[in-house]
Amino acid sequence: MTLSPERAPATAGTRRLTRTLYASAFCDEFVLLYPVYALLFSDTGLSVWQISSLFALWSLTGVLLEVPSGAWADAVSRRLLLVLGPLLTAAGFALWVLVPSYGAFALGFVLWGTGGALGSGALEALVYDELDRAGAADRYARVMGRARAVGIAATMTAMGLAGPVFAWGGYGAVGAASVLVCLAGAAVATRFPEHREPSAGGPGWTAALRAGLADARTDRSVRGALLLVPAVTAVWGALDEYTPLLALDTGVAEETVPWLLLVIWAGATGGSLLAGAADRLTATGFAALLTGSALALAVGAAAGTPAALVLVGLAFGGFQLATVLADARLQRRIDDTGRATLTSVAGLGTELGTLATYGAYAVASSATGHGTAFALAAVPYLLTAVALATAARATAAAAKARP
């Protein structure tokens, strides 16, 4: 069968989009500094308090810029922001290794947080709109799920290579490699197709922000999809920082911890790859997914054995799948004019929820241990599942009552 002249360019454009997206996802996560930057801070002489203040500055930068950057992406070229983001991150990493000091680390985190905020919202909006233009919007969950799987694989690869590269060339080598991969990410981003043309002399990013927020206020379905993203993303997104401590608490030797982490992140990778097949889950099915994942997390974490971490891996797979599906549902409910803005609003909710989870986890783990703290983290997911199931029943009842 031959493609019609109208369909062939769309198919070629979709192929270019997905290839660029997967390459960009790999560059974003293949950063050899990730496993060792805390050691760099410590070796420079920073105290624990100073290191914590740097993490807080990083998070604060993301919180403050998340929504304005999304509105900017709706007002200008989204591809432009995806190119600028890695360049700012590269500048931050270069500062860290060239002039290691508290001030340089702080400025580097501001640059990194700004670069991340520029890409958040802009990427999802660009990918969805380009797929929609090609008549392939139904592939969004599958494509984004694969991109997340590529990102996880890149992270694990970077973790494996960081040790040998560090042993060979120290912080200078891992820093140079990280800067180069960020520059490669910026170059890759120039290959994103973008057919959306912001109108010359348009209303600007403040008008885009107002329009996007108005859409969320007036449309109940948009508002529900907006709240679902942080509800399924924030908690497990914070928990992944503590998985090494959970693994160590099972009684294994420190050198065994990375292998157990591979088990957990293999589960997350599998969840990403299932996004396409699960894209048509109903609200009841989504609630069941969250319930099963929450129970697996609670049982696996509370058991306190290495073998039980397989259940934690399954839980992370379910949460990763739910994250991709929640994003896909949000994209389907918003239009092009405010797509990046509302995606960034969801990202802001996720950032705030993650910060709250950090605080709650610190309190819970100090009082009960890491296993119990992980198990307690299942509660928000069970509550979200109950809310989804209740809403699904109410919608079904209303449909039956409607003449």
Side-chain angles (χ1 to χ4, degrees):
M1 183 180 77
T2 58
L3 294 172
S4 65
E6 294 79 10
R7 184 62 176 169
T11 302
T14 301
R15 190 179 302 114
R16 174 184 167 186
L17 171 69
T18 54
R19 289 175 178 173
T20 305
L21 175 64
Y22 300 153
S24 178
F26 186 88
C27 291
D28 283 347
E29 301 298 335
F30 186 66
V31 178
L32 271 63
L33 265 174
Y34 284 173
V36 300
Y37 65 73
L39 298 178
L40 171 62
F41 302 158
S42 179
D43 289 346
T44 304
L46 270 61
S47 66
V48 174
W49 182 90
Q50 287 176 309
I51 295 174
S52 299
S53 70
L54 290 174
F55 292 153
L57 178 62
W58 186 23
S59 297
L60 181 62
T61 301
V63 167
L64 293 178
L65 297 180
E66 182 75 37
V67 175
S69 66
W72 191 25
D74 280 331
V76 301
S77 166
R78 292 163 179 166
R79 179 172 57 198
L80 173 63
L81 270 60
L82 294 175
V83 173
L84 290 177
L87 294 178
L88 292 177
T89 304
F93 290 161
L95 277 174
W96 286 3
V97 294
L98 292 176
V99 284
S101 61
Y102 182 83
F105 296 148
L107 180 56
F109 267 124
V110 170
L111 291 171
W112 189 3
T114 303
L118 290 180
S120 177
L123 177 66
E124 293 87 350
L126 184 148
V127 171
Y128 189 90
D129 282 346
E130 290 299 316
L131 287 174
D132 189 37
R133 179 182 180 276
D138 59 332
R139 295 180 56 195
Y140 177 80
R142 177 182 291 107
V143 168
M144 293 303 289
R146 290 176 178 174
R148 289 177 182 269
V150 169
I152 294 172
T155 299
M156 293 191 294
T157 304
M159 291 174 63
L161 289 177
V165 173
F166 181 76
W168 172 71
Y171 293 117
V174 294
S178 300
V179 170
L180 288 175
V181 80
C182 288
L183 296 178
V188 167
T190 64
R191 296 289 301 159
F192 273 113
E194 185 178 27
H195 293 88
R196 170 184 171 273
E197 292 288 346
S199 57
W205 74 269
T206 54
L209 176 59
R210 289 194 298 269
L213 295 178
D215 193 18
R217 285 195 303 269
T218 57
D219 192 324
R220 184 177 179 182
S221 67
V222 171
R223 190 164 60 251
L226 197 63
L227 293 173
L228 184 61
V229 172
V232 302
T233 306
V235 174
W236 86 274
L239 288 181
D240 77 76
E241 302 289 346
Y242 302 102
T243 49
L245 301 177
L246 177 68
L248 193 61
D249 259 12
T250 62
V252 299
E254 290 186 0
E255 55 267 25
T256 307
V257 169
W259 297 105
L260 295 180
L261 296 183
L262 285 178
V263 172
I264 294 175
W265 287 106
T269 304
S272 294
L273 295 175
L274 289 173
D279 191 28
R280 298 303 177 187
L281 274 180
T282 63
T284 302
F286 201 106
L289 171 65
L290 291 180
T291 300
S293 301
L295 293 176
L297 176 66
V299 173
T305 64
L309 291 184
V310 173
L311 290 176
V312 178
L314 290 175
F316 272 42
F319 296 144
Q320 176 72 285
L321 174 58
T323 296
V324 177
L325 296 182
D327 173 46
R329 292 178 182 219
L330 175 62
Q331 300 304 326
R332 284 196 290 266
R333 283 166 173 77
I334 54 183
D335 58 30
D336 170 66
T337 56
R339 187 177 304 284
T341 301
L342 289 181
T343 304
S344 290
V345 170
L348 174 61
T350 300
E351 291 280 355
L352 295 175
T354 299
L355 289 174
T357 303
Y358 286 149
Y361 187 92
V363 173
S365 61
S366 299
T368 64
H370 295 290
T372 303
F374 265 74
L376 290 174
V379 174
Y381 288 106
L382 293 175
L383 296 177
T384 301
V386 170
L388 283 173
T390 302
R393 286 195 296 269
T395 301
K400 289 181 180 180
R402 190 180 299 120

